[in-house]
Amino acid sequence: MSTKDSQGQLWEVFIQANPGIPHKHAGSVHATDKEMALQNARDLYTRRSEGTSIWVVLSAAIVASAPEDSGMLFDPSNDKPYRHPTFYVMPEGAKNI
Amino acid sequence: MESTNNLEKFQTIIDADTKIEPKDWMPEDYRKHLIRQISQHAHSEVIGMQPEGNWITRAPSLRAKLILLAKIQDEAGHGLYLYSACETLGISREELIDQLHTGKAKYSSIFNYPAVTWADIGAIGWLVDGAAIVNQISLQRTSYGPYSRAMIRICKEESFHQRQGYEIMGKLALGTPEQKEMAQDALNRWWWPSLMMFGPHDSDSPHSGKAMTWRIKRESNDVLRQRFIDKTVQQAEVIGLKIPDDKLKWNEAKGVYEHGEINWEEFNQVINGNGPLNKIRLANHISAHENGAWVREAANAYAAKQKKEVLVA
């Protein structure tokens, strides 16, 4: 790698805002190794108590679905209403179900 | 090949106010426009650190120094959010920096003016950040997802910037006659360049047409400029400073302030490299980048060594 062409690798940053909730994508950082990625993510995304935990993941390691496949992948499955509780007929008078 | 089908689908997504994401199909001109706009925005954040950095060692109190440091750190962060958003369009950080250094990419011409007194730090926060906020609030609704998300994050952080600037101006305006004069002088020098930040009048704006159709921009230059003027005039009155525009007048019927003519000749001069500090700002950036080469080299060598050790183990 030449010096001129050396902005490090791209990492995606995920932050958990409070204990108990999922980590959420916050943005990305450049870094040459994982410690630097974590440090940069801390400095860049949590200067105002935005989080209690950070994950950094190499962007190149993420496998993402393609927009052109979204029809196939995320079809609303309207032909499968039995996946929803409202599909089922409950006997009259049954409570708490 | 940009088939009509793709274009139509794209416009439907835009018209429904759904965001465009990096892997979605987009017209080449949309991509180009975004790269130009977002990179210019990113470069502005970074170059904008220079006039303020100039005052860190001379801040009048420890409180003022801490605030200024935090603000400048934010500006660096905003630059980084925007570079990342821009990179999702398929351009590298290296290329972006290169475009800045060769002059292919621009930054906001406001940062080519000098910050000569402490009051300028106040005026920059109050007026320059104030104008930027008006623009950025509107851009939170831009059609490109990563840009919109960067704008939302930036807006959350930016309002402290404007308040700290206004506080400096307010304190000076209430101080000795010399201090008040210093505040008024800073307002006199920064007012017109701040109005120029919104770009040319709508009738002369070369990039606006498609940017509006594609909802990259949501409101026109003149609309945003007017909003900034209407907000700021009252703020100046509260702290007893005078906006340096004799033609400034409240128009009761329209509910807006009328203002004097902007000196577009000056605007063009500064954009084309003839502002007070264009050469110095760029030279500083280039030298900081070049002087940092050994750090990047060392970081890469360290990363390569770690990889090797993992392989051996």
Side-chain angles (χ1 to χ4, degrees):
Chain A
M1 212 184 295
S2 80
T3 313
K4 194 184 177 306
D5 197 37
S6 57
Q7 291 292 311
Q9 288 171 293
L10 191 64
W11 305 70
E12 298 305 321
V13 180
F14 298 83
I15 292 175
Q16 185 187 38
N18 288 299
I21 60 171
H23 286 68
K24 193 174 154 195
H25 186 242
S28 32
V29 290
H30 283 248
T32 51
D33 62 59
K34 54 190 180 184
E35 282 84 14
M36 190 196 284
L38 198 58
Q39 187 60 48
N40 288 353
R42 199 235 60 99
D43 287 350
L44 192 54
Y45 292 104
T46 59
R47 289 196 302 280
R48 291 178 173 82
S49 52
E50 286 94 338
T52 51
S53 164
I54 304 176
W55 292 347
V56 287
V57 182
L58 263 181
S59 305
I62 291 179
V63 183
S65 62
E68 54 272 27
D69 294 337
S70 59
M72 179 182 71
L73 291 172
F74 310 117
D75 179 280
S77 300
N78 288 335
D79 55 333
K80 294 177 180 121
Y82 46 83
R83 281 181 169 154
H84 299 281
T86 47
F87 177 75
Y88 300 92
V89 183
M90 293 294 103
E92 190 120 351
K95 286 179 183 167
N96 300 323
I97 180 156
Chain B
M1 176 73 201
E2 304 197 346
S3 73
T4 0
N5 197 9
N6 272 342
L7 255 177
E8 268 172 27
K9 237 166 80 188
F10 174 81
Q11 195 62 48
T12 314
I13 296 174
I14 299 276
D15 293 344
D17 254 341
T18 307
K19 301 293 180 210
I20 301 294
E21 292 297 336
K23 292 169 98 183
D24 291 340
W25 184 90
M26 61 186 84
E28 255 331 282
D29 278 352
Y30 179 79
R31 186 185 300 277
K32 273 190 202 149
H33 188 106
L34 278 170
I35 289 177
R36 188 182 60 238
Q37 183 170 329
I38 302 174
S39 70
Q40 176 172 337
H41 201 157
H43 297 323
S44 303
E45 299 280 356
V46 172
I47 297 286
M49 293 160 75
Q50 290 188 36
E52 298 186 311
N54 199 24
W55 279 92
I56 292 174
T57 56
R58 291 177 286 163
S61 68
L62 182 58
R63 178 184 184 270
K65 183 185 288 211
L66 288 172
I67 292 171
L68 188 58
L69 277 168
K71 178 179 189 296
I72 295 171
Q73 190 187 19
D74 274 355
E75 305 298 1
H78 297 174
L80 293 176
Y81 303 155
L82 287 160
Y83 282 128
S84 292
C86 198
E87 286 165 66
T88 63
L89 292 157
I91 184 163
S92 72
R93 182 77 59 91
E94 199 68 50
E95 286 172 277
L96 290 169
I97 296 172
D98 209 53
Q99 287 185 352
L100 173 66
H101 289 176
T102 57
K104 188 180 175 214
K106 303 240 186 277
Y107 56 86
S108 179
S109 56
I110 191 95
F111 300 115
N112 292 317
Y113 292 89
V116 291
T117 71
W118 175 250
D120 288 35
I121 297 303
I124 290 173
W126 175 36
L127 302 174
V128 177
D129 289 307
I133 290 170
V134 168
N135 190 29
Q136 286 164 351
I137 285 175
S138 179
L139 283 171
Q140 290 183 109
R141 290 162 57 237
T142 188
S143 61
Y144 187 56
Y147 192 25
S148 158
R149 291 191 284 275
M151 281 299 116
I152 290 169
R153 188 172 277 277
I154 288 174
C155 284
K156 271 188 200 155
E157 300 182 353
E158 193 90 41
S159 61
F160 119 64
H161 297 180
Q162 193 190 12
R163 283 177 166 223
Q164 65 86 33
Y166 187 53
E167 188 193 75
I168 291 172
M169 293 299 262
K171 272 188 185 168
L172 288 171
L174 284 175
T176 64
E178 289 83 3
Q179 285 171 328
K180 182 167 186 183
E181 199 185 309
M182 189 190 277
Q184 183 63 52
D185 171 62
L187 171 57
N188 292 350
R189 283 180 291 108
W190 289 92
W191 174 253
W192 291 103
S194 298
L195 296 192
M196 294 175 197
M197 282 175 71
F198 295 94
H201 285 309
D202 296 347
S203 48
D204 307 316
S205 183
H207 302 303
S208 276
K210 271 187 170 170
M212 295 291 272
T213 316
W214 287 336
R215 301 195 181 174
I216 294 174
K217 282 175 75 167
R218 302 300 306 248
E219 290 167 294
S220 76
N221 296 353
D222 285 333
V223 167
L224 294 168
R225 182 167 21 239
Q226 188 67 53
R227 186 171 303 150
F228 170 72
I229 294 171
D230 293 343
K231 273 184 184 197
T232 312
V233 171
Q234 189 266 349
Q235 293 165 4
E237 279 167 9
V238 168
I239 56 175
L241 295 180
K242 189 181 173 300
I243 303 278
D245 179 355
D246 295 337
K247 298 206 172 101
L248 194 74
K249 193 173 90 197
W250 177 249
N251 183 322
E252 188 71 48
K254 287 187 188 161
V256 297
Y257 280 96
E258 291 171 7
H259 61 89
E261 193 45 46
I262 294 166
N263 183 351
W264 294 111
E265 173 55 24
E266 176 185 330
F267 176 74
N268 290 326
Q269 281 293 329
V270 180
I271 275 198
N272 292 323
N274 303 320
L277 290 173
N278 295 54
K279 289 188 183 71
I280 290 176
R281 297 290 189 235
L282 205 54
N284 278 344
H285 193 281
I286 291 172
S287 92
H289 187 66
E290 286 174 354
N291 291 334
W294 70 270
V295 179
R296 294 190 290 279
E297 207 172 325
N300 279 315
Y302 179 67
K305 191 179 153 211
Q306 278 178 312
K307 243 184 227 158
K308 229 188 202 165
E309 277 169 9
V310 170
L311 285 177
V312 172

